[in-house]
């Protein structure tokens, strides 16, 4: 959070790569929040009579100009201070502020602006775009998005869930509706000050009398086609059939439009099997992220279910290092370190994964597996060969489950990364054993 005298030109021109709050030095408490999506929101930060700092939304730019925002902030600040502990007066101010309540779309956008640095589903992929959560909510609850949030009832929400039909023409949209419902639920809880947003300072100010999505039925709860967590892992015979197809150059019999000499998708899938990495981590991998001397791969951004993404340093076994050295970009890695390790034919991120997966399934006579199932297969094999669960968690890039391991959270404060040549990293040892298993299944010795 920075302080400066905000000007019209600054508000109009300023763009940011991550969320940023600018405090105006001319009007006490006036704050301009900037987000990567280009949204610019004025708010007032002020302490109420009970000493709790509140953030009062004043509106979005350019609908609310800088001059208007200063006027609103000055009036609201004076009114709150003059209340001097009179709770009835504060409630009256809250009711007055609620007369111009936001639409559902505005409320979702407001919530997204404060969650975009906390949850990936609320973070837009690029400037000017919507986050996954906003897209899902806007699609399923489209008939309600322009209505005032306080006017929408639980019956309205239930009707939207029940009447939504996907553009794809699929007869059931229960899965999409379930996600949209889960994404919208915390928005309404935050607006109303319910559940985990009940504490002062965490809820919206002023709070709104909005419906509770818990009063609607989960459309996926009685859908037999939706089973919750996916548990698919490939069996030995399936792995044996697909491994010969996960090569570079790509096998000609896959009959892809991309020339085999530039199609790195099959070998990228092999790399997923060898590292248990996520597809996006492999597709985003750059040569500068790999230290061949230390045999390590630095993932700059690893997905996290709680909190922002974080880096992960993964020790690589010789099988992975040898695979990388056979790729076409290896010889140019020092001259072009920022280039992708597994690029498309136009040096962008690889795509059309459904097409290559379908081709591999066709040629291997396998079916019903997804790219993420390869990661699950490797994790399952690591457990089968006796690797401890903590090491598997670290390889997968998960946060360590101290409860399951029987350790305290304080242990993290005493563990530092050490590099001692005489001691082999347990993750590299585990992945080396995994590569040996795949080699035996494929009929090769590593």
């Amino acid at each position: 959070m920075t302080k400066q005298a905000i000007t019209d030109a600054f508000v109009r021109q300023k763009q940011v790569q991550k969320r940023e709050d600018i405090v105006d030095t001319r009007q006490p408490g006036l704050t301009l929040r900037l987000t990567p999506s280009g949204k610019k929101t004025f708010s007032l930060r002020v302490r109420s009579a009970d000493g709790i700092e509140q953030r009062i939304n004043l509106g979005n730019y350019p609908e609310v100009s800088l001059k208007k925002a200063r006027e609103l902030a000055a009036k609201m600040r004076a009114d709150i201070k003059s209340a001097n502990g009179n709770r009835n007066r504060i409630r009256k101010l809250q009711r007055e502020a609620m007369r111009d309540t936001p639409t559902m779309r505005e409320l979702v956008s407001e919530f997204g602006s404060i969650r975009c640095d906390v949850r990936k589903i609320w973070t837009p992929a690029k400037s000017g775009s919507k986050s996954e959560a906003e897209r899902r909510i806007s699609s399923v609850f489209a008939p309600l998005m322009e209505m005032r949030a306080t006017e929408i009832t639980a019956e309205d929400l239930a009707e939207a869930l029940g009447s939504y039909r996907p553009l794809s023409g699929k007869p059931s949209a229960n899965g999409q509706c379930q996600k949209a419902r889960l994404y919208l639920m915390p928005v309404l809880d935050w607006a109303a000050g319910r559940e985990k947003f009940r504490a002062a300072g965490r809820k919206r100010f002023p709070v709104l009398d909005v419906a509770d999505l818990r009063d609607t039925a989960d459309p996926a709860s009685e859908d037999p086609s939706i089973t919750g967590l996916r548990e698919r892992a490939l069996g030995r015979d399936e792995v044996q059939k697909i491994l010969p197809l996960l090569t570079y150059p790509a096998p000609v019999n896959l009959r892809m439009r991309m020339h085999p000499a530039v199609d790195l998708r099959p070998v990228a899938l092999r790399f997923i099997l060898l590292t248990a990495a996520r597809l996006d981590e492999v597709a985003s991998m750059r040569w500068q992220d790999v230290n061949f001397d230390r045999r390590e791969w630095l993932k700059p951004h690893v997905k996290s279910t709680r909190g922002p993404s974080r880096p992960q340093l993964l020790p690589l076994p010789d099988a992975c290092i040898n695979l990388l050295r056979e790729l076409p970009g290896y010889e140019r890695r020092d001259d072009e370190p920022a280039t992708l390790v597994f690029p498309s034919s136009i040096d962008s991120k690889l795509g059309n994964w459904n097409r290559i997966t379908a081709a591999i399934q066709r040629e291997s006579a396998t079916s019903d597996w997804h790219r993420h199932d390869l990661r699950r297969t490797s994790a399952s094999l690591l457990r089968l060969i006796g690797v401890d669960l903590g090491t598997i968690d670290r390889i997968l890039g998960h946060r360590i489950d101290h409860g399951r391991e029987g350790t305290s959270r304080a242990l993290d404060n005493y563990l530092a990364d050490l590099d001692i040549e005489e001691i082999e990293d347990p993750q590299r040892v585990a992945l080396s054993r995994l590569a040996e298993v795949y080699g035996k299944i494929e009929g090769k010795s590593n």
Side-chain angles (χ1 to χ4, degrees):
M1 185 180 296
T2 59
K3 295 184 178 181
Q4 69 176 72
I6 301 175
T7 64
D8 286 309
F10 176 83
V11 180
R12 185 173 60 255
Q13 299 173 7
K14 181 68 172 177
Q15 301 292 329
V16 295
Q17 296 299 316
K18 63 179 182 178
R19 192 183 75 184
E20 184 176 350
D21 285 351
I22 309 294
V23 179
D24 186 25
T25 56
R26 290 182 53 186
Q27 176 57 54
L30 179 62
T31 304
L32 172 65
R33 171 163 289 180
L34 306 163
T35 67
S37 65
K39 184 177 180 180
K40 303 171 183 182
T41 306
F42 289 111
S43 63
L44 172 65
R45 293 180 180 273
V46 63
R47 291 191 180 277
S48 59
D50 55 5
I52 301 298
E53 184 180 81
Q54 305 285 353
R55 178 176 177 267
I56 305 174
N57 189 290
L58 301 176
N60 300 325
Y61 179 86
E63 290 80 8
V64 175
S65 66
L66 174 60
K67 179 180 178 181
K68 181 64 174 177
R70 284 194 172 119
E71 292 175 352
L72 291 171
K75 181 180 183 302
M76 183 65 73
R77 183 181 179 85
D79 287 344
I80 291 177
K81 293 298 182 183
S82 67
N84 194 26
N86 186 330
R87 294 190 177 276
N88 290 332
R89 172 65 172 157
I90 293 176
R91 291 192 186 98
K92 181 180 178 181
L93 292 174
Q94 291 177 337
R95 288 195 298 270
E96 291 176 351
M98 287 170 58
R99 288 175 183 171
D100 187 23
T101 56
T103 64
M104 178 69 84
R105 189 179 304 281
E106 292 169 339
L107 189 64
V108 169
S109 181
E110 185 181 341
F111 181 81
S113 70
I114 66 174
R115 298 292 286 178
C116 62
D117 290 338
V118 181
R119 295 295 303 274
K120 187 175 181 180
I121 59 170
W122 287 100
T123 304
K126 57 183 179 180
S127 178
S129 65
K130 291 183 179 180
S131 65
E132 177 190 348
E134 287 183 283
R135 290 197 305 271
R136 296 268 188 180
I137 293 171
S138 298
S139 179
V140 173
F141 295 99
L144 310 177
M145 297 307 292
E146 305 308 326
M147 291 178 60
R148 296 293 174 187
T150 53
E151 298 174 355
I152 298 172
T153 66
E155 288 72 21
D156 295 329
L157 295 168
E159 183 179 352
L161 288 169
S163 60
Y164 175 71
R165 294 293 179 270
L167 295 176
S168 63
K170 292 182 178 180
S172 171
N174 290 338
Q176 295 94 315
C177 289
Q178 180 190 47
K179 285 192 174 182
R181 181 176 180 270
L182 289 174
Y183 294 157
L184 183 58
M185 191 177 295
V187 178
L188 299 180
D189 286 346
W190 166 75
R194 289 190 296 256
E195 300 297 325
K196 66 179 182 180
F197 299 102
R198 187 179 300 276
R202 297 195 69 186
K203 57 189 173 186
R204 186 185 189 274
F205 185 85
V207 295
L208 302 173
D209 184 16
V210 294
D212 191 340
L213 259 171
R214 293 172 186 79
D215 294 333
T216 66
D218 180 356
S221 61
E222 298 181 359
D223 189 337
S225 66
I226 299 176
T227 58
L229 293 176
R230 187 173 173 88
E231 299 178 350
R232 177 78 159 95
L234 279 68
R236 184 191 185 285
D237 291 344
E238 292 175 308
V239 172
Q240 187 177 45
K241 290 177 180 178
I242 71 168
L243 277 174
L245 299 171
L246 307 186
T247 62
Y248 175 79
V252 177
N253 58 335
L254 293 180
R255 303 195 297 275
M256 291 289 99
R257 296 178 182 176
M258 194 183 303
H259 193 279
V262 295
D263 191 353
L264 297 173
R265 290 172 297 180
V267 74
L269 295 178
R270 176 181 285 265
F271 195 78
I272 289 176
L273 281 174
L274 292 174
T275 59
R278 296 179 177 87
L279 175 65
D280 188 64
E281 294 169 354
V282 173
S284 303
M285 185 181 186
R286 300 182 184 276
W287 288 109
Q288 63 192 12
D289 300 332
V290 183
N291 187 320
F292 283 88
D293 294 330
R294 298 171 61 90
R295 295 183 296 161
E296 294 173 339
W297 171 23
L298 175 61
K299 304 178 189 178
H301 304 287
V302 174
K303 178 182 177 181
S304 177
T305 56
R306 293 178 296 173
S309 62
R310 62 192 189 284
Q312 177 196 0
L313 188 63
L314 181 67
L316 295 177
D318 290 339
C320 291
I321 295 297
N322 294 336
L323 182 152
L324 295 175
R325 285 174 174 161
E326 295 175 357
L327 298 181
Y330 174 74
E331 298 298 335
R332 305 190 306 273
R333 70 189 188 285
D334 293 331
D335 297 328
E336 303 172 0
T339 55
L340 294 167
V341 174
F342 299 96
S344 68
S345 58
I346 56 174
D347 294 327
S348 61
K349 285 182 65 173
L350 285 170
N352 289 326
W353 290 103
N354 287 339
R355 183 178 298 170
I356 192 69
T357 302
I360 293 172
Q361 291 177 345
R362 181 193 69 234
E363 291 303 309
S364 63
T366 60
S367 62
D368 191 34
W369 56 266
H370 190 270
R371 276 81 60 188
H372 201 73
D373 296 333
L374 302 181
R375 170 175 159 92
R376 187 177 297 105
T377 299
S378 292
S380 301
L381 280 175
L382 286 169
R383 183 178 183 180
L384 189 63
I385 61 179
V387 178
D388 66 274
L389 299 180
T391 299
I392 297 176
D393 254 345
R394 290 176 177 87
I395 290 173
L396 295 173
H398 293 163
R399 293 187 184 277
I400 302 304
D401 187 341
H402 290 281
R404 185 185 64 201
E405 293 193 356
T407 58
S408 69
R409 293 182 181 276
L411 180 63
D412 291 336
N413 299 323
Y414 293 87
L415 299 179
D417 291 329
L418 298 179
D419 183 19
I420 301 178
E421 293 182 2
E422 290 78 8
I423 302 176
E424 191 76 13
D425 190 291
Q427 295 178 77
R428 183 179 291 115
V429 173
L431 291 177
S432 296
R433 293 178 61 192
L434 178 66
E436 291 174 0
V437 171
Y438 281 132
K440 292 178 180 178
I441 292 176
E442 192 176 8
K444 297 178 181 179
S445 59
N446 289 338

